[in-house]
Amino acid sequence: MLRAALPLLGLPLAGAGATEEPTQEPGSPGEPPPGLALFRWQWHEVEAPYLVALWILVASLAKIVFHLSRKVTSLVPESCLLILLGLALGGIVLAVAKKAEYQLEPGTFFLFLLPPIVLDSGYFMPSRLFFDNLGAILTYAVVGTLWNAFTTGAALWGLQQAGLVAPRVQAGLLDFLLFGSLISAVDPVAVLAVFEEVHVNETLFIIVFGESLLNDAVTVVLYKVCNSFVEMGSANVRATDYLKGVASLFVVSLGGAAVGLVFAFLLALTTRFTKRVRIIEPLLVFLLAYAAYLTAEMASLSAILAVTMCGLGCKKYVEANISHKSRTAVKYTMKTLASCAETVIFMLLGISAVDSSKWAWDSGLVLGTLFFILFFRALGVVLQTWVLNQFRLVPLDKIDQVVMSYGGLRGAVAFALVILLDRTKVPAKDYFVATTIVVVFFTVIVQGLTIKPLVKWLKVKRSEHHKPTLNQELHEHTFDHILAAVEDVVGHHGYHYWRDRWEQFDKKYLSQLLMRRSAYRIRDQIWDVYYRLNIRDAISFVDQGGHVLSSTGLTLPSMPSRNSVAETSVTNLLRESGSGACLDLQVIDTVRSGRDREDAAMHHLLCGGLYKPRRRYKASCSRHFISEDAQERQDKEVFQQNMKRRLESFKSTKHNICFTKSKPRPRKAGRKKKDGVANTEATNGKPPRDLGFHDTAAVILTVESEEEEDSDSSETEKEDDEGIIFVARATSEVLQEGKISGSLEVCPSPRIIPPSPTCAEKELPWKSGQGDLAVYVSSETTKIVPVDMQTGWNQSISSLESLASPPCTQAPTMTRLPPRPRAREEPQAPLKLPLSSDPHSCFAFPPSLAKAGRSRSESSADIPRQQELQPLMGHEDHTHLSPGTANSHWCIHFNKGGRL
Amino acid sequence: YSHFLEVMKGHSLEEDQVNFRGFMRTLAHFRPIEDNEKSKDVNGPEPLNSRSNKLHFAFRLYDLDKDDKISRDELLQVLRMMVGVNISDEQLGSIADRTIQEADQDGDSAISFTEFVKVLEKVDVEQKMSIRFLH
């Protein structure tokens, strides 16, 4: 351990020393090898990557240390701390190596450190907000940067003319303009680092941040133009050169954006076809974005703009195309890379500042620059905002302007650019370097430190995070449409009109071209929000704990007054979670005998808690695919099972609410059933039924099919081996059947996990004996869709009908369906439901549908209604009987009835 | 958005005829609220571009049968107009159900105007229901 740790600790120093005394290294070629060396020290071979890794490691460790203390990080921005750390490290390196090492190299910075940050910010840019404020952002980015550059440059030149800058700073107007151009640009890295911690309101953030991203094009152009002018010498610059300079502004910015968009298009198109190689999806995102950056850089276009546009443009399609896991991977990798790069940049910035050989101090220049950039930034912001406010819907008020002026941080881009200057052409380079370092440090440290208190003090509107609700999303969409419509009516084709047009175009052509068909089909913002909300609810239900499950979930059915209890507790729960989820589930509550309840409780407990060792791990050796292995499936099952139980505790509220609203059906109906009745029914071969199936039957397609144990012994045998078994099958058939016979919408659950034992609680298997239970559950618990009762009714019936005829026993079971006389049913209804026989009327079934169902099943049942009632009961919960009555047959509603 | 055009025309004026006055009245809803308007004449008649009037305008777009309630069917209809054909009816239905459940406070399976206002209280309606050219 020690041996391993030692070189690690000593490495920064060793690295510093290594270059000076290479011959003393044990493994160096200068030393004659004394035979076979047991231990070779090959520092040089690994030096470069090792150092890179080490620096990143140091930076990350530093980050961890900073965040150990919450107090420090809440007061001081991380970027400040990192710069200070860099200063300290640089001092150490300088002291040890006697010369500055590990500085921020412009090449490294532009090729490796900057792209991740820009990609991250472009990809996760809130596009709607960005385009809503595009006008302001562009103004600040283009006009503001130009203004800053020229005024600062000119003012510094004026300062020099006034004799306030020492004469040893040899610079003309062009030099100062060059300096102005590089020092004037607001830096995306610094702005992001500081503003992310400040949490100002979104509009303000997007304006400052968008400006810092987009002004890159202007900075690059100005810098290049000025640089070439300086190199040419001011005497040789002709008028056409100025024109070219202006033209190159457009070329660079538009070209950069175009490159970005082209790559965004390619990226989106590529991810459309990665269905079978999911594993490379994240890689594609990074590769193509990086390619965009390099291409733009190669063509000397604005690379930052290219990556920003690439990220901004591709996100929608890429997110729709790639898998959920890839999305997470992209997100995390991007954030990690960006954070890494940012950390390293600030640290190296600190280290670079230590090197005194590179810079020369001139107080007049430094102070003058500091003053001018602050002053002209503020002045520029005020002037531009005044103009913009004439056109803006929501004017930027004074406080916003103060924050915007103050948030104009300079950063590593300026530093890298100033390092890139050619000393022979720009004699005052050293002074510029010193000034830039001071400016960067001042803005990042002083302004970064004070902007938080300032924002607090000025009471700038902070961004508030509230969870999106479906209503908001929906209504905001409506507003958009209304505005677009109004603009159209008036004939004023403004922003809303064109946005609407773009959306139409996107929907019609672009999305269709760039999105996978499956993704395109369900692509809609409102649906997305709905989906996300449901998932969130589901997760929060599960998170809220198993204790509710274990306590209320199990005891609920046994409580006589459970109705009210459940309702209050559930509504409370609902309010807590703040979500009106439509997580209904058909649920039946029966008051059963004590023993039954116990059994049921125990069974459910076992079902939930125990996982059958059904499947072994299949060792996955493929490097190219991540197979959805057993573990995963089991997790899914755990989730579903938990969900299911949570949902059960919800059901009553939901149902009751809907119920009081629409239907006059007495709610107690189902629960008043007596055990004895159930028993007699069962002995009659008729399944006990519970009419707690309220009107908003959820469309979780929970269907349970019974097979005849005698006709299907082989199967049951097989199942017996494995213990508690739940099998699902023939789901598509179910769906189809449901569609045909019900001619109503079947639940939108196209995906159904085939072997899904999650609804295992349906029955007590040891009681039903060999009856094998097939449960179908929509894999998407989130898509629980309430439909009105009859839809659910139809559906369950039709699906049951199909299920009651498993492949092997298709015809027999069907034909054995009960030709039950209606009279049988009648006397039982009052018995079962002492309060009212009304509920039956609720289940009244459209004759046409009933007929359809009957013809489908080809049964000779003359009373379709009877037949239809049974399956419903069949797939309901808690229809357990007391032991001994219909031991193994009780759940075979359909077929049983047939046999009678 | 063609649906909105019709609905708007429909309810902006009670008569069949679209006259200029009614048209202007409708458009007045979209005038941005200015700072000086917020403070002055609290007692006076509420201007057409006030927050609640903007909201009411939107509300009436949903409320097709004018019973001051957005029912599930009405919501579905509007939803159908907005989302494309890609979303199935069941999905739409579930969206509508959830939307109503979210907003519904008195348990009548419909969204009344007060409930409508409540769910949108965090939304910057003044901004989102304003058009610049009507300044």
Side-chain angles (χ1 to χ4, degrees):
Chain A
M1 276 307 283
L2 256 179
R3 243 189 127 81
L6 261 176
L8 271 179
L9 290 173
L11 263 179
L13 310 182
T19 47
E20 287 174 5
E21 35 209 355
T23 46
Q24 286 171 18
E25 297 278 327
S28 63
E31 209 168 291
L36 185 66
L38 275 178
F39 187 79
R40 275 163 63 93
W41 189 254
Q42 297 181 322
W43 166 247
H44 280 290
E45 290 179 22
V46 294
E47 179 177 358
Y50 208 123
L51 281 180
V52 169
L54 211 69
W55 276 118
I56 296 175
L57 181 71
V58 167
S60 314
L61 287 180
K63 253 189 161 169
I64 295 175
V65 172
F66 294 154
H67 282 277
L68 283 182
S69 157
R70 190 167 272 283
K71 219 181 197 172
V72 173
T73 41
S74 69
L75 284 177
V76 187
E78 212 180 75
S79 46
C80 299
L81 290 172
L82 283 168
I83 283 195
L84 294 177
L85 173 81
L87 276 176
L89 280 179
I92 294 172
V93 170
L94 193 69
V96 171
K98 301 285 184 286
K99 74 178 197 126
E101 289 278 340
Y102 317 117
Q103 297 194 339
L104 189 59
E105 296 295 330
T108 322
F109 173 72
F110 281 117
L111 287 185
F112 302 112
L113 292 177
L114 193 54
I117 300 176
V118 180
L119 176 63
D120 172 65
S121 46
Y123 193 76
F124 293 107
M125 176 110 69
S127 55
R128 174 73 199 267
L129 210 56
F130 178 78
F131 286 111
D132 278 356
N133 294 294
L134 189 62
I137 292 171
L138 275 179
T139 314
Y140 288 119
V142 178
V143 181
T145 310
L146 285 174
W147 157 269
N148 280 349
F150 281 112
T151 49
T152 310
L156 283 175
W157 182 69
L159 208 64
Q160 194 204 32
Q161 297 297 315
L164 288 172
V165 176
R168 60 178 186 274
V169 181
Q170 300 164 356
L173 176 59
L174 267 178
D175 298 273
F176 279 118
L177 282 182
L178 175 62
F179 180 61
S181 73
L182 65 89
I183 202 76
S184 63
V186 176
D187 183 67
V189 185
V191 164
L192 203 62
V194 168
F195 270 71
E196 270 194 341
E197 296 178 25
V198 176
H199 303 298
V200 293
N201 63 70
E202 294 152 329
T203 316
L204 198 53
F205 175 76
I206 202 75
I207 288 179
V208 176
F209 179 54
E211 176 201 344
S212 71
L213 275 180
L214 296 195
N215 68 13
D216 172 68
V218 182
T219 314
V220 167
V221 170
L222 268 184
Y223 177 79
K224 277 180 186 151
V225 168
C226 288
N227 208 6
S228 52
F229 283 178
V230 167
E231 284 173 7
M232 284 156 63
S234 51
N236 305 327
V237 177
R238 273 167 294 171
T240 49
D241 293 324
Y242 291 107
L243 279 181
K244 272 185 200 162
V246 174
S248 74
L249 176 63
F250 290 98
V251 171
V252 166
S253 55
L254 296 180
V259 167
L261 288 179
V262 166
F263 274 92
F265 182 83
L266 284 178
L267 177 52
L269 201 63
T270 323
T271 52
R272 198 187 153 174
F273 303 105
T274 52
K275 195 177 176 186
R276 290 170 199 283
V277 270
R278 292 282 192 198
I279 206 84
I280 63 159
E281 279 169 347
L283 189 67
L284 275 176
V285 174
F286 291 104
L287 276 185
L288 278 167
Y290 195 43
Y293 186 90
L294 293 181
T295 311
E297 190 77 48
M298 186 176 67
S300 58
L301 302 170
S302 168
I304 291 186
L305 209 55
V307 173
T308 308
M309 291 315 281
C310 183
L312 205 59
C314 74
K315 187 182 183 199
K316 180 181 173 187
Y317 311 105
V318 168
E319 295 270 287
N321 281 337
I322 64 181
S323 72
H324 190 71
K325 276 176 205 149
S326 303
R327 231 173 291 162
T328 316
V330 166
K331 187 176 165 191
Y332 272 90
T333 319
M334 218 175 254
K335 292 278 175 208
T336 309
L337 283 179
S339 151
C340 238
E342 189 186 287
T343 311
V344 170
I345 286 175
F346 281 119
M347 209 169 67
L348 290 184
L349 211 55
I351 294 176
S352 313
V354 176
D355 183 10
S356 56
S357 67
K358 269 190 189 161
W359 46 280
W361 181 270
D362 182 77
S363 309
L365 184 67
V366 170
L367 292 178
T369 313
L370 265 185
F371 172 75
F372 285 136
I373 60 162
L374 287 175
F375 174 73
F376 285 119
R377 165 88 186 165
L379 189 64
V381 165
V382 169
L383 288 177
Q384 289 172 76
T385 312
W386 183 79
V387 175
L388 279 173
N389 274 350
Q390 306 298 313
F391 302 100
R392 273 182 73 83
L393 182 64
V394 188
L396 297 160
D397 55 16
K398 289 201 177 60
I399 291 173
D400 290 340
Q401 295 176 32
V402 169
V403 175
M404 277 166 57
S405 323
Y406 204 68
L409 306 178
R410 276 37 166 206
V413 173
F415 181 78
L417 287 178
V418 83
I419 293 286
L420 276 179
L421 288 180
D422 187 353
R423 197 192 297 265
T424 55
K425 300 279 169 37
V426 188
K429 182 192 171 186
D430 290 352
Y431 295 97
F432 288 156
V433 171
T435 315
T436 309
I437 288 176
V438 170
V439 165
V440 169
F441 278 35
F442 180 83
T443 51
V444 171
I445 294 179
V446 177
Q447 285 179 228
L449 270 176
T450 48
I451 198 164
K452 222 170 188 174
L454 184 80
V455 163
K456 242 180 227 159
W457 181 64
L458 287 174
K459 297 192 182 65
V460 176
K461 217 165 45 173
R462 299 294 193 94
S463 66
E464 40 189 69
H465 280 285
H466 45 83
K467 290 170 183 166
T469 64
L470 200 58
N471 272 286
Q472 281 181 15
E473 182 72 22
L474 179 61
H475 300 322
E476 281 175 20
H477 262 260
T478 318
F479 294 161
D480 289 343
H481 282 273
I482 293 173
L483 292 191
V486 170
E487 284 196 351
D488 200 25
V489 168
V490 180
H492 167 100
H493 290 180
Y495 171 70
H496 297 284
Y497 174 80
W498 288 112
R499 211 171 52 75
D500 196 82
R501 270 304 177 82
W502 164 255
E503 270 173 16
Q504 297 289 332
F505 171 75
D506 175 69
K507 210 170 203 166
K508 258 189 201 149
Y509 305 106
L510 263 187
S511 291
Q512 224 153 8
L513 179 67
L514 295 179
M515 280 187 197
R516 235 164 249 178
R517 202 155 296 150
S518 56
Y520 176 69
R521 242 190 303 122
I522 55 162
R523 190 72 193 171
D524 188 89
Q525 268 169 314
I526 298 176
W527 174 254
D528 274 357
V529 172
Y530 172 73
Y531 188 78
R532 261 187 286 132
L533 281 176
N534 260 346
I535 286 192
R536 202 189 65 209
D537 287 343
I539 289 173
S540 75
F541 292 154
V542 174
D543 280 351
Q544 265 171 24
H547 67 277
V548 184
L549 279 184
S550 50
S551 59
T552 56
L554 287 180
T555 52
L556 268 182
S558 60
M559 288 186 214
S561 60
R562 67 164 297 281
N563 199 14
S564 58
V565 172
E567 189 162 345
T568 48
S569 70
V570 167
T571 39
N572 284 343
L573 206 68
L574 205 75
R575 261 174 222 138
E576 272 172 37
S577 67
S579 62
C582 55
L583 295 157
D584 306 13
L585 197 70
Q586 314 125 303
V587 167
I588 301 279
D589 324 294
T590 339
V591 178
R592 275 165 264 115
S593 72
R595 177 135 178 234
D596 230 2
R597 275 202 308 275
E598 259 172 51
D599 285 344
M602 185 51 70
H603 170 70
H604 291 191
L605 196 71
L606 289 174
C607 275
L610 294 180
Y611 271 91
K612 319 104 218 174
R614 287 172 301 118
R615 274 187 203 82
R616 300 260 155 186
Y617 258 113
K618 207 175 73 187
S620 157
C621 336
S622 170
R623 182 187 302 161
H624 310 287
F625 303 98
I626 302 173
S627 61
E628 192 169 307
D629 51 18
Q631 178 61 44
E632 214 162 277
R633 211 174 296 124
Q634 265 190 0
D635 287 348
K636 213 179 256 175
E637 282 164 13
V638 176
F639 176 77
Q640 284 185 347
Q641 207 147 16
N642 285 343
M643 269 311 296
K644 187 125 199 282
R645 297 220 234 116
R646 300 303 320 246
L647 293 181
E648 261 172 44
S649 65
F650 264 87
K651 76 231 164 174
S652 55
T653 349
K654 282 291 157 195
H655 285 313
N656 290 337
I657 287 172
C658 305
F659 175 83
T660 44
K661 285 174 208 156
S662 44
K663 304 232 172 171
R665 198 158 86 65
R667 64 176 71 162
K668 294 266 162 81
R671 283 173 209 112
K672 295 293 173 190
K673 200 164 54 175
K674 296 283 181 292
D675 249 1
V677 181
N679 288 350
T680 42
E681 269 178 23
T683 40
N684 282 348
K686 212 181 141 223
R689 88 194 36 167
D690 190 328
L691 300 175
F693 180 22
H694 300 280
D695 46 5
T696 43
V699 179
I700 215 179
L701 190 57
T702 317
V703 183
E704 163 185 333
S705 123
E706 289 305 324
E707 301 209 358
E708 299 258 272
E709 64 272 5
D710 41 356
S711 69
D712 208 332
S713 56
S714 66
E715 176 137 9
T716 47
E717 243 174 48
K718 191 184 83 205
E719 322 262 321
D720 278 346
D721 296 337
E722 299 174 70
I724 312 168
I725 283 282
F726 310 95
V727 177
R729 67 173 70 86
T731 47
S732 58
E733 198 180 298
V734 176
L735 287 174
Q736 269 181 359
E737 199 92 300
K739 253 173 202 150
I740 299 164
S741 66
S743 74
L744 277 164
E745 297 90 359
V746 190
C747 98
S749 57
R751 289 193 290 129
I752 289 178
I753 300 179
S756 164
T758 50
C759 295
E761 322 112 300
K762 291 288 153 179
E763 128 176 55
L764 310 179
W766 65 91
K767 290 201 170 175
S768 69
Q770 302 94 327
D772 111 65
L773 173 70
V775 178
Y776 297 84
V777 178
S778 155
S779 69
E780 286 158 85
T781 13
T782 51
K783 285 192 185 174
I784 304 167
V785 183
V787 296
D788 63 324
M789 189 180 69
Q790 289 208 338
T791 320
W793 180 248
N794 288 333
Q795 201 175 299
S796 48
I797 285 156
S798 47
S799 44
L800 265 180
E801 277 172 0
S802 70
L803 282 169
S805 53
C808 43
T809 59
Q810 189 122 21
T813 39
M814 281 346 242
T815 45
R816 260 182 282 154
L817 280 169
R820 268 176 163 283
R822 196 192 178 93
R824 264 204 112 133
E825 165 77 5
E826 296 306 306
Q828 273 164 9
L831 240 178
K832 270 190 329 190
L833 313 155
L835 284 192
S836 80
S837 54
D838 198 29
H840 280 282
S841 62
C842 289
F843 289 111
F845 207 68
S848 61
L849 290 175
K851 245 177 245 159
R854 190 164 28 150
S855 61
R856 208 101 225 111
S857 62
E858 295 174 302
S859 80
S860 59
D862 39 18
I863 299 163
R865 195 175 130 200
Q866 173 68 30
Q867 187 187 331
E868 283 141 17
L869 274 171
Q870 284 174 347
L872 175 70
M873 298 311 103
H875 79 186
E876 289 309 1
D877 217 337
H878 310 297
T879 45
H880 320 290
L881 293 189
S882 54
T885 45
N887 210 348
S888 62
H889 300 280
W890 65 269
C891 47
I892 322 232
H893 325 298
F894 217 77
N895 304 328
K896 261 228 144 104
R899 253 181 266 131
L900 274 177
Chain B
Y1 54 75
S2 54
H3 155 72
F4 291 98
L5 286 183
E6 282 160 33
V7 176
M8 243 168 49
K9 278 178 201 147
H11 79 65
S12 60
L13 344 138
E14 266 58 43
E15 312 93 64
D16 295 336
Q17 226 174 359
V18 179
N19 59 25
F20 185 68
R21 240 187 124 68
F23 183 63
M24 287 320 282
R25 273 185 76 80
T26 307
L27 286 192
H29 284 100
F30 297 97
R31 204 157 64 88
I33 302 173
E34 279 161 55
D35 285 340
N36 51 12
E37 279 179 65
K38 277 178 190 161
S39 49
K40 75 172 186 190
D41 64 37
V42 186
N43 304 320
E46 211 177 356
L48 274 173
N49 62 349
S50 72
R51 179 187 172 94
S52 84
N53 271 333
K54 279 176 195 292
L55 277 174
H56 203 244
F57 185 89
F59 183 78
R60 281 182 298 167
L61 281 186
Y62 287 102
D63 185 20
L64 301 173
D65 59 3
K66 301 200 171 75
D67 63 348
D68 286 334
K69 275 193 169 79
I70 304 175
S71 70
R72 185 176 184 271
D73 286 340
E74 287 164 349
L75 197 59
L76 261 183
Q77 232 171 314
V78 177
L79 267 172
R80 176 48 78 203
M81 311 271 179
M82 283 204 297
V83 305
V85 284
N86 299 327
I87 304 290
S88 70
D89 285 337
E90 302 84 31
Q91 289 170 330
L92 273 190
S94 59
I95 293 177
D97 280 326
R98 166 137 196 167
T99 311
I100 289 180
Q101 272 179 8
E102 230 175 49
D104 200 9
Q105 285 170 335
D106 54 7
D108 60 352
S109 293
I111 303 178
S112 66
F113 183 61
T114 36
E115 287 162 350
F116 186 75
V117 172
K118 181 97 174 102
V119 290
L120 287 175
E121 66 183 349
K122 284 197 179 133
V123 178
D124 193 0
V125 180
E126 292 94 333
Q127 183 184 340
K128 293 208 162 118
M129 281 284 282
S130 298
I131 295 181
R132 179 63 216 176
F133 63 84
L134 296 168
H135 187 64

